[in-house]
Each structure stands twice: as structure tokens, then as C-alpha cells.
Amino acid sequence: MKKILSFVAAALVAFSFTACNGNDSASKDFKITISDVTATTAVVKIEPADTTATYLATYLPAEIAAPLSEDSLKIVLKASLDYAIAMYKARGSNVTYADFLEQGVQEGEISDLSPKTEYLFVAVKMDAQAVFSGNVAKKAFTTPDIVVTKTVELGVLDYLAIKDYRDVDGSFMIYGGKEGQSEVGLNIFSEGFAGHWTEEDLDLEYSYVWTPEAGQYGLSVVKAELTGVEDLQAQTATIGGWVVASDQVKYTFSINDFSTVINEEGADEVSAPKKAAKKEAKKAPACKFVKMPVINK
């Protein structure tokens, strides 16, 4: 099941929360079934009454979506699509509303969910001009907490590269690893390299742990406690701490004394590892079950 890059908007959008619809709503237009829910994934099946109509199918944290009235939720969905399209265009991809739409019966797994979190999966008919019709169907589900099964010490990782996205979305990617043994990629929303960060400060879709057993792109990061210390005079920094990955393992590590000097192309003089292509490859969406940008109330 194809999946779009998730963005976190910096804009603050104000809405009037009236005529709340709750966390579930029946709709004659869609039947939504949620199954096989884990701490980070769920399987969703959408059965539209009209299999010829296009529609938007997405999921949002319930704390954002549940208080919204029908009209306000549609405003949020449209504003989120506009923001995502603008971000894609800033990265050189020509994206339209049609790229986000589904048609017919769809079933697949959504991933990169946060543990112990209530979500709303919603579906609503929408055309290629972002005009809605009918009511929004909503289905609530809650992920359980993740259980850590063991701790693995990766030790001091060699600094590999930085990719600078701070002018695009306020984040940077840093990579560290040991050749053929392990690799960690962290997509941190921060203007600098010093600070204390948790999973709330990471783009979890592009933060990962790789080991030879983990597959091409590695394991998604679910939880994190990280500290960055920067030496302004030497223009170096160290980032270390731990992450819990989707395999329920806590990995501890540090990336020491990396250069904080980024060149104009958005990467330092060290070539980024092959997994840097994961973030770059997702500039253009081929969207199924879109994870909407989060625009705070």
C-alpha cells in the first residue's frame, strides 16, 4: 500500500468547535473496517457505496479531529492538502489534488503510527478540484503501547552525513553507522544541533535503525530520547541517546564530533549513505491512505 510523506505544519489554524460529531459516524457513502491494530500499524478496508466516485481517505490524531464539526473537519482536510502540495512543490514535485484521491474498494496497512494513541480514520467523497460531497465517515481506533523486549548497544557510530531540510520543513537528517553492522538515521525538527529531543521532535517516517536483519530501509523509530551538544567554536556536535524501533528493541548509540558546517547544496562534503534516498525518493506522492499533515488547532 503506497503512502505519502507526512508533514508537520508550523502554521496555527483556528476553528470554531461546534456540533461535534464524535469519534465514530455512520455514513451511507462508506464502510470503514479497522483490524490487526498494533502499536505502530493497522489494517484498513474502505468500501465505498459508489465505486466510481473519487474520495479522500486519511487518518489523523483523534485529539485534533474528534472536536471538529463536519464543516471544520473538511476545512482542516483541505488546508492540510494545500500545505502538503506546497511542500512537494517546494521540493520540485508537481502535485495536484488528484494525486491524493482513492477510487473503489481499498485495503491495506497503515504504518508509522504512534503507540498508545487514538486515531480517526476518515473518508469523504472529493473530486480533483478538492470539492467535497456527502458526509465524512469516521472510524476510531487506538494503538496499544509498545513493549520493549531488550536493549542493544550500538556504541559510537561513525559520522556519515547530514542532509539539511531546515529551509524546507525545519528539519535535518543525520546519519551514523558502522559499515555492514548498523546504521541510524534521525530526521530531527530543530534549527540547531544542540538540544533534547524525543519522538515528538522527529519525523518518524524517515528516522530508522538498520541492521543486517532489518531489510533495505531498516526499522522505523517509535520512541526516542536524544541529546545534542554543540561546540560552536570547533563547529562540531555530538548526538546520542536511545531509540525504540518497531521491532520493540531499544538501541543506544552516539554519533560523535560531526561537522555542523553544511554546504549550499544541503549536504556536507561527505556523501550521504544509500538510505538517504528514502527521503529524497518520496518527494512525489503515489498516495494510498494519506497520512495528513498535522495543523494544530
Side-chain angles (χ1 to χ4, degrees):
M1 187 59 62
K2 295 175 283 185
K3 190 165 176 289
I4 191 175
L5 170 68
S6 62
F7 295 99
V8 179
L12 182 65
V13 180
F15 297 99
S16 297
F17 302 143
T18 59
C20 294
N21 292 329
N23 290 0
D24 287 277
S25 66
S27 170
K28 61 181 177 61
D29 294 325
F30 300 96
K31 177 183 177 182
I32 302 174
T33 305
I34 310 288
S35 62
D36 300 326
V37 179
T38 73
T40 59
T41 65
V43 174
V44 180
K45 184 176 183 180
I46 304 177
E47 300 172 84
D50 181 358
T51 57
T52 66
T54 57
Y55 60 92
L56 178 67
T58 184
Y59 53 106
L60 306 91
E63 65 177 353
I64 292 175
L68 298 175
S69 68
E70 176 90 4
D71 289 341
S72 292
L73 180 55
K74 289 178 179 178
I75 291 171
V76 168
L77 294 175
K78 171 66 164 54
S80 298
L81 286 177
D82 288 339
Y83 181 81
I85 288 170
M87 293 298 289
Y88 273 114
K89 288 183 176 179
R91 294 182 178 186
S93 297
N94 186 21
V95 177
T96 68
Y97 294 119
D99 293 306
F100 293 81
L101 300 182
E102 309 286 356
Q103 190 174 36
V105 176
Q106 296 289 340
E107 182 174 11
E109 182 181 88
I110 53 178
S111 58
D112 297 318
L113 301 174
S114 298
K116 207 174 179 179
T117 302
E118 185 178 7
Y119 289 92
L120 281 184
F121 197 97
V122 302
V124 59
K125 287 195 289 186
M126 190 180 98
D127 65 19
Q129 286 71 49
V131 177
F132 295 103
S133 59
N135 296 326
V136 180
K138 298 189 290 184
K139 185 69 174 180
F141 67 98
T142 301
T143 55
D145 201 3
I146 196 164
V147 177
V148 176
T149 57
K150 65 177 179 178
T151 298
V152 172
E153 295 184 5
L154 299 179
V156 178
L157 304 180
D158 297 329
Y159 163 56
L160 299 177
I162 291 177
K163 296 286 287 184
D164 193 353
Y165 300 101
R166 287 175 292 180
D167 288 343
V168 177
D169 62 7
S171 75
F172 66 88
M173 281 285 312
I174 182 166
Y175 304 87
K178 295 179 180 178
E179 182 65 32
Q181 300 178 44
S182 61
E183 183 173 303
V184 173
L186 301 171
N187 192 184
I188 303 173
F189 288 96
S190 176
E191 286 302 312
F193 302 101
H196 298 281
W197 307 293
T198 71
E199 64 274 9
E200 299 294 329
D201 304 298
L202 303 182
D203 189 333
L204 298 180
E205 187 170 5
Y206 303 106
S207 300
Y208 64 86
V209 177
W210 177 86
T211 64
E213 298 77 27
Q216 182 180 7
Y217 288 137
L219 303 160
S220 298
V221 170
V222 178
K223 292 186 177 181
E225 288 281 354
L226 301 165
T227 298
V229 179
E230 187 172 9
D231 185 332
L232 295 177
Q233 184 172 1
Q235 294 186 311
T236 61
T238 295
I239 290 177
W242 57 262
V243 298
V244 176
S246 54
D247 62 350
Q248 299 178 278
V249 174
K250 177 187 282 188
Y251 295 90
T252 64
F253 60 90
S254 64
I255 306 170
N256 291 349
D257 300 326
F258 61 87
S259 173
T260 61
V261 179
I262 311 294
N263 68 23
E264 293 180 357
E265 284 70 36
D268 67 3
E269 65 277 5
V270 181
S271 296
K274 63 181 180 180
K275 294 176 194 63
K278 183 179 182 184
K279 183 151 186 161
E280 293 298 314
K282 290 196 175 182
K283 289 180 180 179
C287 309
K288 296 292 182 182
F289 295 170
V290 178
K291 184 177 182 181
M292 296 304 294
V294 175
I295 301 181
N296 295 324
K297 301 191 290 289

